[in-house]
Amino acid sequence: LATGSKLYLMLAGVFVCLSTAFMAAGLTMGLLSIDPLEMAIKVKSGTPKEMRMASSIIPILSRHHLLLVTLLVFNAAANEALPLFLDQLVPSYVAILLSVTIVLFIGEIIPSAIFTGPKQLEIAYWLSPFVKVLMCVASPITYPIAFLLDRFLGHDAHG
């Protein structure tokens, strides 16, 4: 079990994994449940705030498969790495139990509830620059997968 500086490194790893899982799961549910047609309507006839927010997230939503694959890759990586860090902090069986429980609540249920709630559009707007960075960083892995999905399932599989 970790002690000293290794303990803090493992705790930091747990925090990064949980934060990444939280954001990726929440953004997956939040962004992919937004109706692109509703956003197009908001751009044309919404309030000035709605117009600005919708205009910001339409480009992200238009790359449906790339968005989906990017968020799922980050979510899967965080969820798979979490037990590796926990295993250094607690016995293996506890690490597995903690990982499953924590991922269920902090990595799935809570972010899904928050990101699909009444502030869904606002949260999507404020996090859209972050999502664009993720999409760019992960593109060497995610772009080929998204390309294949577009090719075999159609470019606009969302609508």
Side-chain angles (χ1 to χ4, degrees):
L1 299 180
T3 60
S5 60
K6 186 176 179 183
L7 172 67
Y8 294 112
L9 185 61
M10 294 302 115
L11 288 172
V14 167
F15 178 77
V16 167
C17 287
L18 288 176
S19 299
T20 302
F22 181 91
M23 292 297 286
L27 287 166
T28 301
M29 289 293 294
L31 286 170
L32 295 174
S33 67
I34 292 175
D35 181 9
L37 178 59
E38 184 181 336
M39 292 302 99
I41 292 168
K42 286 188 186 297
V43 165
K44 301 273 188 218
S45 61
T47 66
K49 181 179 178 182
E50 288 174 334
M51 289 177 172
R52 184 178 70 251
M53 291 189 296
S55 295
S56 174
I57 63 171
I58 284 175
I60 295 170
L61 297 178
S62 71
R63 305 291 311 269
H64 177 77
H65 286 131
L66 185 60
L67 173 63
L68 173 68
V69 174
T70 299
L71 294 173
L72 290 178
V73 163
F74 276 96
N75 195 8
N79 290 338
E80 294 300 322
L82 180 61
L84 300 175
F85 292 104
L86 286 173
D87 197 42
Q88 299 295 312
L89 299 171
V90 295
S92 295
Y93 71 94
V94 176
I96 293 168
L97 290 172
L98 273 176
S99 179
V100 169
T101 305
I102 292 170
V103 165
L104 179 61
F105 288 99
I106 295 176
E108 297 295 336
I109 294 172
I110 295 170
S112 295
I114 292 170
F115 284 70
T116 60
K119 300 267 188 204
Q120 180 179 18
L121 182 58
E122 198 169 327
I123 292 169
Y125 168 73
W126 284 109
L127 292 175
S128 62
F130 173 70
V131 172
K132 289 175 185 174
V133 169
L134 287 181
M135 290 170 79
C136 184
V137 167
S139 65
I141 296 167
T142 59
Y143 184 82
I145 299 167
F147 175 81
L148 290 172
L149 290 172
D150 285 344
R151 173 119 188 212
F152 292 110
L153 298 178
H155 183 68
D156 185 19
H158 190 310

